[in-house]
Amino acid sequence: MRGLHWFRNDLRLDDNQGLAALAERAEEWLPVFVLDPGLLARSPVDLPRTRFLLDCLAGLQSELASRGVPLQVLEGRPEVVLPRLARETKSGIVSWNRAPTPLGQRRDARVEAGLHRAGVEALVLRDHTVFAPDEIRTKAGGRYSVYTPYRNAWWEAWHREPRECARRSRLPKRPIPGFAGRPSAALAGIAPRDTTRRLPRGGEKAARRRLSSFLAVAARKYAVDRDRPDRDGTSRLSPYLRFGAISVRRCFTEGLHTAQAEPAAKAGIRKWLDELVWREFYHAVLAHSPHVLTRSFRPEYDALAWLDDDGAFEAWKAGRTGYPFVDAGMRQLRATGWMHNRARMVVASFLTKDLLIDWRRGERYFFEALVDGDPASNNGGWQWAASTGTDAQPYFRIFNPVAQGERWDPEGRYVRRWVPELRGLSAERIQAPWRHGEPPKGYPLPIVDHDLARARALAAYRKARQPSSSARTRSSR
């Protein structure tokens, strides 16, 4: 039998569930990637995420070419171009890995319907997470809305049925003859790799190198260093997981094997793997509660009276709030398409609590600016910081941006790297330069007083929590 594999957020050959399933059914195959004009319109090529995607795609194309398999890059609506290619190649089956988002699932349904009309079988697997959302349930069969019991149930499920990655990549035996790789006019029109921004190198090889490097060095101290943006203590694998340049099963498999072989690394690796379980948790939340993409998980907070302060929002985006730790995080994001997780929490708390600006504005900006912009994790992180989400921090927990900088960047190395105006300041001055006189030339004074902003936020959250406010919000839906 002949078959096609539709690559999407699984841009790798190693441990690819859909591709392995196709190998069991088809002897001849062609790989396909579809440039959907609708998706490109929402994710223009100058965004870091799209740039990284195209870099991963180029790596995949190179890997396939080395095996004599030509990648078909098609342009158009998938529900139209995939059935057409299946007929053209006389393929009886098209495989892919299930989309993890509501938008992607609606697109998949249209593709399945188009293939069915063409008499072509759709072979759809789950690949983006270790366990499907419905596989991790409470003992009563319900859904988890708190992370810790979800994590415990997740690990129990893993110990019952470890889902380690495949030892060998399974591919169909040979490509369908008579088909060369199809050039794409859209890809040909894209400028070369952007060297003005320090984006990570995409692709499966880069992902595997990053995992090996992390497990060899930083993983041992991950439990201690993970909150320190001044150190290279995290895996930085999130962009690769976002586009499937590496499988999450590969991360768990190699992480657990390393922890078993090297007991000194066990605590750090286990803490890192728990962070990957957070990723699974947020995907389960999105699957069960898709409304979180537009509304608060906790409905009482839909009544929050957010401030519509465009000037403050632009200052936050530009890294010019006057709070060095916040500004360092935002400038790192602009320069690299990535931000350390501790900094993400602090800048999100600052936007939603100090500036009282709607978390949805921050979420949208992060999704545009991040290389690893993932709908489930991005939404979960923002609603956690804003106290509007599932298992979020309490509304009265408001990060002090100065104290956070002093704790997690005690020598000021992170701030000096990303806020050059402050490089000449001592560690004692650098997290709050205005307390020691005027800040250095070119650096702004704080745009808000943290203590006053904290009091304002507490009042707004308490008002939203009043039964009358929540009732008005529910009745207006």
Side-chain angles (χ1 to χ4, degrees), residues 371-437:
V371 172
D372 61 8
D374 175 86
S377 296
N378 190 41
N379 181 272
W382 270 96
Q383 293 222 44
W384 182 91
S387 302
T388 62
T390 176
D391 200 18
Q393 65 174 341
Y395 76 92
F396 48 81
R397 185 185 180 197
I398 300 175
F399 286 137
N400 182 316
V402 175
Q404 287 288 308
E406 291 172 342
R407 181 177 182 183
W408 302 117
D409 184 30
E411 296 174 11
R413 288 198 298 264
Y414 181 64
V415 168
R416 288 192 192 91
R417 181 177 182 185
W418 298 110
V419 189
E421 306 97 297
L422 305 181
R423 283 177 183 167
L425 297 187
S426 65
E428 291 74 23
R429 292 188 58 195
I430 198 166
Q431 301 294 346
W434 69 91
R435 291 179 179 171
H436 308 273

Side-chain angles (χ1 to χ4, degrees), residues 438-450:
E438 287 292 317
K441 184 178 180 180
Y443 189 71
L445 289 164
I447 60 174
V448 292
D449 178 283
H450 172 70

Side-chain angles (χ1 to χ4, degrees), residues 1 7 33 179 254 264 303 451 454:
M1 178 185 288
F7 282 99
F33 185 84
F179 285 85
E254 296 200 12
D451 291 337
R454 183 179 186 279

